[in-house]
Amino acid sequence: MSGTVSNTFQDDMDTQGKSIPGSTDRSEKRFRFILALCGSLIVLLLLAILVTLLVTALPSIKEFGLFFFIGKVWDATTETFGALPFLVGTLFTSFLALLISIPFSLAISIFLGEYFKEGAISGFLRSAVEILAGIPSVIYGLWGLFLLMPAVRFIEMKIGVAPHGVGILTSSLILSIMIIPFSASLGREVITLVPGDLKEAAYSLGATRFEVIKNIVIPYARSGLTAGILLALGRAIGETMAVTMLIGNSNFLPTGIFSPANTMASVIANEFAEATGVTAASLIYIALVLFFVTMIVNIAGTYVIHKLSIESSKEVS
Amino acid sequence: MENTVLKIENFSASFGDNRILKDINLTVPRNVVAALMGPSGCGKTTLIRCVNRMHELIPGATVSGRMTLIDEDIYAMQPIILRRKVGMVFQKPNPFPTMSIYENVIAGYKLNGIRIPKPELDNIVEQSLKKSALWDEVKDALHRKGTFLSGGQQQRLCIARALAMNPEIMLLDEPTSALDPKSTSQIEELFVELKKNVTMLLVTHNIAQAARVSDVTAFIYLGELIEFGPTEKMFTVPKDKRTEEYLTGKFG
Amino acid sequence: MTGNHVKRRLAEDIFFKGMVCLFAFISLLPLFLILYYITKNGIAVIDWDFLTSLPRPIGEAGGGVFNAIVGTLMLIILSGVISIPCGIAAGIYLSENKAGKLASGIRLSVVVLQGTPSIVIGIIAYIWIVAPLKTFSALSGGIALSIMMLPVIVKTTEETLKLIPYHLKEASLALGVPYYRTILKVILPSGISGILTGILLSVARITGETAPLLFTAFGNQFMNINIFKPIDSLPYRIFYYAMSPYPEWHSFAWGASFILVVLTLVLNLIARGISVKWKTRF
Ligand SMILES: Nc1ncnc2c1ncn2[C@@H]1O[C@H](COP(=O)(O)OP(=O)(O)O)[C@@H](O)[C@H]1O
Ligand SMILES: [Mg+2]
C-alpha cells in the first residue's frame, strides 16, 4: 500500500539537469497523505468486509463446503444447512421481476429518450420515476402487504391454489416496481445519446419512427440497455425489506410462482438476529455468496457503462 | 544592463523526453515591457511557466540551467514564496468564481492566510483596481461575484489580483487573445502605465502588439532564442533571417 | 398493394407509440397508489400527539413515534459525521489522481460498496460492533449507514470536482497558494453545491434504510439518546408495526411512512434546489 501512496507526491519529481527541490512544506505532504489515506481506507473497508465474512462464515464453509449450494434442507434444530431453496428463491424472484419490469422500463426509456425529450409531460414522468426510486424499501413492503397481497390472494382463490397471498409472485411484483427506475434512467440516457444523423439517414430512406427505433435506436443503445438491466438485477438480488415482508418466510424449495419462499437476503433478515453458532455462520455464508453475486453483477454493469462512455467519447473526436 | 530583474542562463525545459526549450539566455531589465514572441508551439508559454515554476507541476516536466530573480536563484527558492513575488495573468480570464470582486483582488492574501487589517485591505483593493484601470467601473459593485464582469473586465480583475501582491515581475500569457479589440487596447494602454512600477514579461503571438507596447523583444523559434534586443531595433533591422521572415509574415 | 403495405407500416408505427405511452404511464400507477395510500392512511393518524409521544403497549390508545424521529435524526448525524469527511477526502484524492493503482482500486471499491446489499452491511456492523460490545447500539447502526453513504459521497465529490476548470487551480497556485490551501479554499468551495447535493441525496437514501438496522440499531420503544444503547428509527418502526397483527399498529405504520416519505422528499427537493441555486458560474 505504501508504494502506491508515495507515487502520488508528484511535486517531488526528479529532474534530469537539476533537481527541483519539491515543496518542503510539511502541511502539504500531510495533506496529500490524508487524502491518500482516506482513499486507501475505502479499499481497506472493502477488503475488511470480505475477510470478515470469510472468517466468520468459516465454520459453515468447513462443514458444508460446496454442498451448501445443492443442499435442499435448512434446519437449525438438526444443524443441517443447505442454501438451495434461497438460491432458487433469489433467482426466481429477481428474474421474474426483471421480466415484468423490462417492458415498462423500456417504454419509459423510449418515451423520455425518443418521443418526448423535453416538455411538461416528460418532466413530470422523469420526476415521478425519481420519486419512485427514492421511496424506502420498507414502505414498498408495507404497501405490498395491504394492496398486493390481498390482490394476489384473490387471484389465488380464483384459480384454486392455496391462498397465501405472500410468495414469489407478490415479491416479484413489488421488486419489479422498485427496479424500474434504475434501468429506465440509464436507458433514457443511452437512447438520448443515439446520434441524430444516424436516425435521419434512416428517415431519409423512408423508415417510419417505429422502424427507426427498432432498427437503429435499440441496436445502437443495446449495450447501455443491457447495463441498465444488469444494475437493476443487482438491486433485485440484494433487495431485502420489501421481499422479507412479502415472500412468506418459508425455508422449503419453492414449487411454483405462488409458493412462499425465502431469498438469500430475506432469510438473513428473518433469522440472523436469533442465530448463534453454525446457524449464524451459515447465514453469513449466504451473505458472502450474496456479496459475491452482487459484486459480479455490478462490476459487469459498470464495465459495460464504462466501455460505452469510452466509445462515445471516441466518436466525438 | 544594470538593474536586472530576471536573468535566464543556459536554460532548457522538457516534457518527458521532448526538449521544448533549448539553452535560453535572456536578461530582463527593470521597469520594461518585455515581449516574447514566436509562432504558436515554439515554447513561449513553457518559458514563462518556468519563471514561476508552474512548469514543474506537470508530471514528467524537467528543467536545467539557471534562472535568477533579483540575484536570487529561482530554483533554490520555495515555489510558493517565489510565486508570491511573481504575478501571472493567463490567456483566459480566470477570476475565482466563488469570490466577490473585492475578495478576488486580495485573493493572494486571503488564500495564503496572510492577515491584514481591514482598512489596509480596503486600500490594497482600491490601489490595485486603480492600477488596473477597473476601479471606476466596479467601485460600487465590489461585493458582486467577479464572474459577472465582461471578459475584458475579468482580465483586468486578474491583473489587479496579481498586482495586489506587489510582484517584482508580472508574467502575462497572451492576456488579450481571448478579448475583443476594445478591451485589448484598454489593456495595452494599461501596460504602458503599469511599467512605471512593475516589470512585465508579455507573451504574444501578435506582432503588432509587441511593436505597440514592448520596450524589448525576444523572438523564440522552435524552442531557441533567436534574437533579443530593443523592440524598435529588432523591428527595423532584424539581425537574424528567421526574425525577418517571422516579422514579414513568412511563417507563424 | 404498396398502398396497403404503407398503411400497415403506418398503423404499426401508431400502435407502437401508443404502447410505449401506455406502458410508460402504467408504470406510474404504483407510484400514485403508494402516495395515495400513504397520504390517506398517514394523515388520518398524524396529529401533535403522534409526533411528540412515545409508543404505547397495545391496548392503550394513542402513542406516537417521537423516539423514532429522534433516533432517525441521530442515526443520520452519526453516519454523516463518520462518512462525510472521509468520503470527501477520498473524492478529492480521485479527482486529483486520475490514473494510478490506488485510484483505480478506490474506484473499483466504490462500485462494489455501492452495490453491496444493505443486509450484508448490517451483518458486518453486527460482527464489528454489536458482537464485541455485546449490545445493539445506535453506534453500530450509524456505522452501517455510514458504509452505505460513503461510496455515494466519494462518487459525487469526484464527479463534481472533475468538472472544475483546471485554470482555477493554476490561478491559485500562481499566487503562491500552497497546494492544500488551493484545494480547500478554491477547489472545494467551487464545487460546494455539487458536494452538498451528493451528501443530501445520500442522506435521503439512508434515511429509509431498514435492513442494516435490523441487527444493529435494532429498535427501542423508549426514548434513548445514548449511542451505546439500541435506538429506534422510523423505518424500523414501520417494519415492526407493519408485521404486527394489530390494525391499530398498521395505521401507525402508515403514519410513520408518511413522515418518512415527506422527510426523504424534502431532502431530495433541497438537494435539487441547492444544485440549481448555488451552482458556481465559471
Ligand atoms: N502539458 C504538456 N505536455 C507535453 N507537451 C506539452 C505540454 N504543453 C505544451 N507542450 C508542448 O510544448 C511545446 C511548446 O508549447 P507552448 O509553450 O505552450 O507553446 P506556445 O505557448 O509558444 O504556443 C509544444 O510543442 C507543445 O506541444
Ligand atoms: Mg501559449
Side-chain angles (χ1 to χ4, degrees):
Chain A
M1 195 63 48
S2 68
T4 44
V5 171
S6 67
N7 75 15
T8 62
F9 297 103
Q10 290 173 351
D11 276 8
D12 302 15
M13 69 193 63
D14 274 341
T15 46
Q16 303 162 340
K18 177 188 289 182
S19 96
I20 300 169
S23 162
T24 49
D25 194 354
R26 280 254 179 79
S27 36
E28 160 148 5
K29 284 202 170 163
R30 204 179 309 145
F31 180 70
R32 283 182 185 272
F33 178 74
I34 290 172
L35 293 188
L37 186 74
C38 287
S40 324
L41 245 139
I42 293 180
V43 181
L44 285 179
L45 176 67
L46 186 68
L47 292 177
I49 289 177
L50 190 60
V51 171
T52 305
L53 290 175
L54 267 172
V55 169
T56 45
L58 208 57
S60 175
I61 298 175
K62 268 190 189 147
E63 176 130 16
F64 304 108
L66 291 178
F67 289 104
F68 193 66
F69 299 101
I70 51 170
K72 287 183 207 162
V73 180
W74 182 275
D75 186 358
T77 48
T78 60
E79 297 207 331
T80 321
F81 296 108
L84 189 65
F86 315 126
L87 292 175
V88 173
T90 303
L91 291 181
F92 209 164
T93 46
S94 319
F95 278 96
L96 191 55
L98 212 53
L99 219 60
I100 300 170
S101 76
I102 284 174
F104 295 99
S105 58
L106 204 57
I108 297 178
S109 312
I110 295 173
F111 187 95
L112 292 176
E114 178 64 31
Y115 284 120
F116 299 93
K117 285 192 188 176
E118 272 137 43
I121 326 174
S122 111
F124 172 73
L125 183 61
R126 217 160 33 201
S127 326
V129 170
E130 268 172 43
I131 296 176
L132 209 52
I135 291 180
S137 167
V138 69
I139 293 182
Y140 278 105
L142 174 69
W143 180 75
L145 275 180
F146 291 94
L147 193 92
L148 276 186
M149 192 179 90
V152 172
R153 181 177 284 159
F154 179 76
I155 296 170
E156 284 169 339
M157 288 203 288
K158 276 274 176 242
I159 61 173
V161 296
H164 298 289
V166 291
I168 299 247
L169 179 66
T170 321
S171 309
S172 302
L173 283 172
I174 205 81
L175 272 179
S176 68
I177 299 171
M178 295 175 71
I179 61 179
I180 284 174
F182 289 86
S183 29
S185 64
L186 194 61
R188 180 190 72 87
E189 262 172 55
V190 290
I191 285 182
T192 323
L193 287 180
V194 178
D197 48 354
L198 270 188
K199 289 190 276 182
E200 273 164 20
Y203 282 125
S204 74
L205 294 173
T208 63
R209 194 154 198 183
F210 165 63
E211 286 157 351
V212 169
I213 292 173
K214 190 178 100 183
N215 299 316
I216 308 288
V217 175
I218 302 282
Y220 191 92
R222 200 182 42 223
S223 46
L225 297 172
T226 316
I229 290 172
L230 275 175
L231 294 183
L233 179 66
R235 282 290 296 192
I237 291 174
E239 181 47 54
T240 312
M241 289 322 291
V243 175
T244 304
M245 294 162 84
L246 294 173
I247 200 159
N249 191 17
S250 153
N251 292 348
F252 300 105
L253 209 55
T255 50
I257 62 168
F258 290 110
S259 94
N262 249 333
T263 63
M264 293 192 272
S266 74
V267 73
I268 299 173
N270 277 319
E271 300 193 359
F272 188 74
E274 289 109 47
T276 50
V278 187
T279 314
S282 299
L283 288 166
I284 296 171
Y285 195 176
I286 292 180
L288 183 67
V289 176
L290 193 56
F291 178 74
F292 271 118
V293 172
T294 49
M295 176 161 89
I296 290 165
V297 171
N298 276 297
I299 290 180
T302 314
Y303 174 74
V304 175
I305 296 174
H306 188 69
K307 238 180 58 186
L308 209 72
S309 62
I310 290 175
E311 270 165 24
S312 60
S313 67
K314 260 189 209 147
E315 260 153 39
V316 171
S317 58
Chain B
M1 250 181 274
E2 35 87 53
N3 227 345
T4 296
V5 174
L6 177 70
K7 194 164 181 181
I8 300 172
E9 296 161 276
N10 298 325
F11 197 87
S12 301
S14 317
F15 290 105
D17 294 333
N18 194 3
R19 199 146 164 253
I20 303 296
L21 293 174
K22 294 153 200 158
D23 283 322
I24 305 282
N25 284 288
L26 191 68
T27 309
V28 181
R30 191 176 286 281
N31 294 357
V32 299
V33 176
L36 280 180
M37 62 177 195
S40 173
C42 69
K44 307 179 296 287
T45 299
T46 308
L47 180 60
I48 62 163
R49 286 171 61 92
C50 287
V51 176
N52 69 347
R53 297 184 52 179
M54 297 287 283
H55 177 65
E56 68 198 57
L57 294 177
I58 295 156
T62 58
V63 298
S64 72
R66 202 175 139 80
M67 274 198 194
T68 45
L69 180 71
I70 320 182
D71 296 328
E72 222 180 323
D73 185 350
I74 284 178
Y75 281 83
M77 289 166 85
Q78 279 280 334
I80 56 171
I81 304 294
L82 166 73
R83 288 177 197 149
R84 289 173 203 176
K85 294 184 181 176
V86 179
M88 187 173 218
V89 177
F90 296 78
Q91 199 162 347
K92 241 187 96 207
N94 54 2
F96 296 117
T98 51
M99 298 184 190
S100 65
I101 293 172
Y102 185 98
E103 290 168 318
N104 258 290
V105 176
I106 50 157
Y109 297 96
K110 216 179 115 143
L111 293 175
N112 278 309
I114 302 169
R115 286 187 198 286
I116 291 178
K118 171 91 168 113
E120 210 169 308
L121 278 182
D122 289 344
N123 190 35
I124 291 175
V125 170
E126 183 172 341
Q127 292 312 317
S128 308
L129 286 172
K130 276 182 174 159
K131 280 187 210 157
S132 67
L134 191 59
W135 176 252
D136 290 332
E137 287 157 65
V138 301
K139 62 170 184 271
D140 301 318
L142 289 176
H143 294 284
R144 291 199 64 186
K145 291 259 183 297
T147 37
F148 283 101
L149 298 172
S150 75
Q153 289 174 320
Q154 287 192 15
Q155 195 62 301
R156 277 180 280 150
L157 177 59
C158 293
I159 293 173
R161 180 175 71 191
L163 286 173
M165 299 295 283
N166 267 324
E168 304 288 349
I169 188 169
M170 290 257 281
L171 310 170
L172 304 117
D173 190 357
E174 305 190 19
T176 60
S177 66
L179 303 181
D180 59 282
K182 186 162 172 281
S183 310
T184 301
S185 66
Q186 274 178 327
I187 287 184
E188 284 180 6
E189 282 165 28
L190 186 59
F191 292 154
V192 180
E193 199 54 37
L194 282 178
K195 73 179 175 194
K196 291 175 191 158
N197 301 309
V198 63
T199 309
M200 277 169 285
L201 194 51
L202 170 70
V203 169
T204 175
H205 64 217
N206 180 339
I207 301 168
Q209 183 171 62
R212 281 195 298 269
V213 301
S214 71
D215 305 291
V216 289
T217 300
F219 173 58
I220 300 177
Y221 183 60
L222 293 178
E224 282 177 68
L225 182 72
I226 305 298
E227 198 171 336
F228 175 57
T231 306
E232 246 183 67
K233 227 172 171 178
M234 189 188 292
F235 276 68
T236 46
V237 277
K239 276 185 249 158
D240 196 285
K241 200 159 167 299
R242 287 166 290 184
T243 318
E244 190 179 337
E245 282 173 0
Y246 179 72
L247 290 174
T248 51
K250 293 254 166 59
F251 49 74
Chain C
M1 179 64 209
T2 42
N4 270 342
H5 178 66
V6 169
K7 258 190 210 153
R8 213 201 65 223
R9 284 171 57 206
L10 287 177
E12 204 179 51
D13 188 43
I14 293 169
F15 176 75
F16 182 74
K17 186 170 181 181
M19 289 308 276
V20 164
C21 295
L22 184 69
F23 272 75
F25 279 92
I26 290 181
S27 29
L28 290 187
L29 206 62
L31 177 65
F32 289 127
L33 284 174
I34 290 172
L35 292 182
Y36 171 73
Y37 267 63
I38 293 177
T39 318
K40 190 188 86 179
N41 299 328
I43 296 238
V45 290
I46 291 181
D47 52 23
W48 187 243
D49 186 49
F50 186 74
L51 292 173
T52 55
S53 55
L54 300 181
R56 299 200 186 126
I58 191 66
E60 269 181 54
V65 291
F66 183 60
N67 58 338
I69 296 175
V70 172
T72 286
L73 295 180
M74 262 185 74
L75 286 169
I76 290 175
I77 292 169
L78 262 176
S79 49
V81 166
I82 300 168
S83 64
I84 291 171
C86 179
I88 291 181
I92 297 174
Y93 181 87
L94 288 183
S95 77
E96 290 294 303
N97 299 273
K98 300 204 167 51
K101 271 191 201 135
L102 180 58
S104 38
I106 298 169
R107 286 200 186 90
L108 184 69
S109 307
V110 166
V111 167
V112 175
L113 277 179
Q114 200 161 22
T116 301
S118 50
I119 189 87
V120 174
I121 289 170
I123 287 194
I124 291 297
Y126 177 91
I127 298 170
W128 286 352
I129 316 289
V130 177
L133 295 183
K134 297 196 173 63
T135 169
F136 297 117
S137 60
L139 179 67
S140 58
I143 284 178
L145 295 179
S146 72
I147 298 177
M148 307 210 59
M149 272 178 90
L150 197 56
V152 185
I153 295 178
V154 176
K155 226 168 123 180
T156 45
T157 305
E158 183 196 2
E159 270 159 22
T160 307
L161 297 187
K162 264 201 318 214
L163 294 180
I164 293 176
Y166 186 70
H167 63 67
L168 278 185
K169 194 166 149 192
E170 292 206 314
S172 172
L173 291 172
L175 286 170
V177 181
Y179 175 77
Y180 75 98
R181 278 180 165 270
T182 298
I183 299 292
L184 293 180
K185 307 231 157 176
V186 176
I187 305 298
L188 269 189
S190 303
I192 195 72
S193 79
I195 295 173
L196 270 182
T197 304
I199 291 175
L200 282 175
L201 288 179
S202 68
V203 168
R205 182 176 162 216
I206 58 142
T207 302
E209 278 295 343
T210 321
L213 302 179
L214 290 176
F215 348 110
T216 55
F218 200 64
N220 190 338
Q221 65 190 91
F222 303 106
M223 187 68 196
N224 168 41
I225 48 166
N226 181 345
I227 63 167
F228 295 104
K229 293 261 171 64
I231 195 172
D232 218 30
S233 62
L234 282 168
Y236 183 85
R237 194 71 0 216
I238 295 168
F239 177 62
Y240 183 80
Y241 281 155
M243 299 306 276
S244 78
Y246 314 114
E248 196 194 349
W249 279 8
H250 293 163
S251 61
F252 279 12
W254 288 111
S257 296
F258 184 82
I259 300 172
L260 187 58
V261 165
V262 168
L263 198 62
T264 42
L265 282 186
V266 165
L267 283 168
N268 274 298
L269 276 180
I270 298 176
R272 209 184 286 197
I274 284 180
S275 73
V276 174
K277 271 255 165 74
W278 291 15
K279 197 157 185 62
T280 309
R281 223 185 76 160
F282 294 112

